[in-house]
Amino acid sequence: MSDQVQAPLPQGAGYGVVVGFGVAFALGMIWVTRSLRISFNEDNKSTETFMVANRTVGTGLTASAVVSSWLYSTALLGASLLTYKYGLALGVWWGASASTMVCFLSLISIEAKRRAPNAHTLLELIRVRYGTAAHLIWIVFCLLTNILNFSSMLLGASAAVTSLTGMNVIASTYLLPVGVGVYTYFGGLRATFLTDYIHTFIIMIILAWVTIKIIVVKEIGSIGALYNAVTAADKIHPVQGNYGGSHLTMRSEQCLYFGILHVISNFGAVIMDTGFWQKGFSADVASAVPGYVLGGIASFSVPWAIGTFGGLAAVALESTDIFPTYPRMMTAEEVTSGLVLPYVVQAVAGKAGAGALLVTIFMACTSIASAQMIAISSIISFDIYGTYFNKNATDKQLITWSHIGVVATSLVIPTLATAFNKGGVDMTWLLYMVGNITNPGCIPTVFALLWKGQTKAAAVVSPLVGVCCSLSVWLGTTYAYFGEISVASTGSTMPCLFGCVTAFFVPLPITVIVSLVRPTSFDWSAFTKQIHKVRRPEQDRTEADQHSTEEWVAPEMKRYMKRMSRWAAFWTVFTLLGHIFLWPLAMYGAKIVFSKSLFTAWIVVSLIYLWFTLVVANFYPLYDGGARKIWIVLCGQVTPEASSKSEPQQDTSGYSSEGPPKNARVEAKVLPAS
């Protein structure tokens, strides 16, 4: 944050957006939640609705929520600042780190539905399979993942809001999550999906406008002129470690290092983030794989396009009089705080651009904040209170503690982010180091669902050894490189890279070796026998007990889910090969600086991809049943499910011929959480 650059907008604009929009969304989501309860019997006072949206979310809304999950203010700001520092290869690496992990989650999601159809959180699976010790370890890992991700996002967003409006940074840090906390408190995960969609709708339109505005601004004027300006700037300030010192090459050492670091870090950020698992649990059976795959592929374009446009525009415009810092260059503090994109938008679009970006940052921040609040509150209510303090917790008690978790999160995380800010820790530092903390749990978590041979001892030992090794390597490498342990040195690329890789790979041989020393074979049916839906007060216990002894799914549905699991595995491998090995890695081997024609094609394709994402996130959910439901709500109609006051059932009316057979049904095991 710079005190030398005058904010383009008044403080009133910052408070108006942060507080006013927050209140507006809160009131709007309260009304929507009430309308859904009337029209569709979506009872937000039910744990099944609050935590997993009754497991009936369709493909379009799932895909939109996935895209929204990667519209971090960190991604928008970080991709731009790192492209400014290291070149256009960065955007591709960032996009790859998002898309590959989300497509992998399609496999995790369908396998979770096959083996634990009534699960509410990842931690339930760990408790049933490995017991109390592992459960407590995973609670710590998952809480740290959600807390660090939330804090990083809030740090970047508050710095950007302060840069654009002059609003006090501490005030913006505390006020950004307030409105989110209100509508999350009342609406739960369903409200998160709906606000994700609305936020994403607005964000994608603004991002499409910003990219066009950057190209047509008078100081640039065309794609070719942008190429000429960047080339000229590189002759004066070459990029160290890049082929030819150019921003316009895929042969960039720092981009390669960041790519490896971020791909592996995002694996931890996704697998250990219970919010992603809950979105998988909430999708209906027919939507889990296509929703995650479509959303994962679409999410690639945002960091690629916005990083490329924002970062290269900063390189081109920094020496012109429209740039906010002119005649000086941006300071290192301004860059690492994420102010590259705000300065660019201010330069090309003035106050209108600053206002649009302010809304974008607010939307991105609040969308992620809602998902993180649900994730953290579910751990507090279901995995701490419902497991260790009240094993016979009722639906109402679990909801109460979910509400307590939402309120606590909206207060604790801003306080932590403020402490980071005052301690000199910025968004970039958290972005680089988070993998050292989260990655040790990745392999054991995946094996908990995909490998029946992993033992309890292996699950307990491997992440603990992994985190000890990662912290040792991270801090030891920092001292070896810089001769000191400080905030600046520990946030550098190479120490974080070595620590992150160690954190990810060390648990793999440990868990395999320990498991093979005294091999066992886990019975997957334990998940269905011990994890049940939460029984609502009006439901008959005798009927619930009878249901709990039945097979939870028909044979036709089993075959369908097995087929979808194979498709998920295919897309996981396909995306990994395409978005990492066949694109950035292959182009890294080619020692070339982009020609003007290649650069033009690059920019055009990124724009087409960005518009594809806009269609997927904005319009496909309307086509996929959203428009019908909106019409029902606006007209005040009541569906048969709501009129009969029955518990919401899976809607199979939208299944294609390739979807689950219509006679397949999921039995509702409705026993207490214990």
Side-chain angles (χ1 to χ4, degrees), residues 217-233:
V217 69
K218 180 179 65 175
E219 284 73 10
I220 296 178
S222 66
I223 298 175
L226 176 61
Y227 176 88
N228 294 335
V230 173
T231 302

Side-chain angles (χ1 to χ4, degrees), residues 603-669:
I603 294 296
V604 170
V605 171
S606 71
L607 281 174
I608 294 173
Y609 206 154
L610 186 67
W611 281 81
F612 163 75
T613 303
L614 185 148
V615 171
V616 169
N618 290 17
F619 300 109
Y620 183 63
L622 297 176
Y623 171 79
D624 188 42
R628 180 182 66 85
K629 291 186 176 181
I630 291 173
W631 179 255
I632 289 174
V633 169
L634 292 178
C635 293
Q637 299 176 12
V638 179
T639 61
E641 296 91 343
S643 61
S644 63
K645 300 297 181 183
S646 61
E647 187 171 0
Q649 302 294 321
Q650 289 227 5
D651 180 10
T652 59
S653 60
Y655 291 157
S656 67
S657 59
E658 294 299 315
K662 294 185 181 294
N663 63 335
R665 64 188 181 92
V666 176
E667 296 289 354
K669 294 184 179 62

Side-chain angles (χ1 to χ4, degrees), residues 106-153:
S106 68
L107 176 61
I108 293 294
S109 177
I110 196 64
E111 287 298 316
K113 287 186 175 298
R114 288 179 64 197
R115 292 166 177 168
N118 296 322
H120 303 82
T121 69
L122 157 66
L123 297 169
E124 277 186 296
L125 307 181
I126 301 300
R127 176 176 55 83
V128 169
R129 179 155 185 186
Y130 302 120
T132 300
H135 187 238
L136 293 174
I137 292 171
W138 257 261
I139 286 176
V140 174
F141 273 117
C142 291
L143 282 176
L144 284 174
T145 301
N146 291 116
I147 288 170
L148 292 175
N149 286 339
F150 197 170
S151 299
S152 175
M153 177 273 300

Side-chain angles (χ1 to χ4, degrees), residues 413-433:
I413 300 300
T415 302
L416 181 61
T418 300
F420 279 137
N421 180 277
K422 292 299 183 180
V425 172
D426 56 26
M427 174 191 72
T428 306
W429 188 90
L430 284 174
L431 177 68
Y432 272 68
M433 66 71 60

Side-chain angles (χ1 to χ4, degrees), residues 36-99:
L36 289 173
R37 184 170 62 251
I38 295 173
S39 297
F40 297 98
N41 196 26
E42 290 280 357
D43 186 5
N44 62 306
K45 295 182 180 179
S46 160
T47 300
E48 293 296 321
T49 302
F50 191 90
M51 293 180 63
V52 290
N54 292 316
R55 299 175 172 84
T56 58
V57 179
T59 301
L61 203 55
T62 299
S64 180
V66 168
V67 173
S68 177
S69 296
W70 288 105
L71 285 176
Y72 275 75
S73 55
T74 312
L76 301 176
L77 302 172
S80 299
L81 77 88
L82 292 173
T83 299
Y84 166 80
K85 292 178 66 175
Y86 303 131
L88 55 71
L90 193 286
V92 178
W93 279 112
W94 197 305
S97 69
S99 62

Side-chain angles (χ1 to χ4, degrees), residues 301-317:
S301 72
V302 174
W304 178 30
I306 301 305
T308 300
F309 278 83
L312 296 185
V315 174
L317 296 174

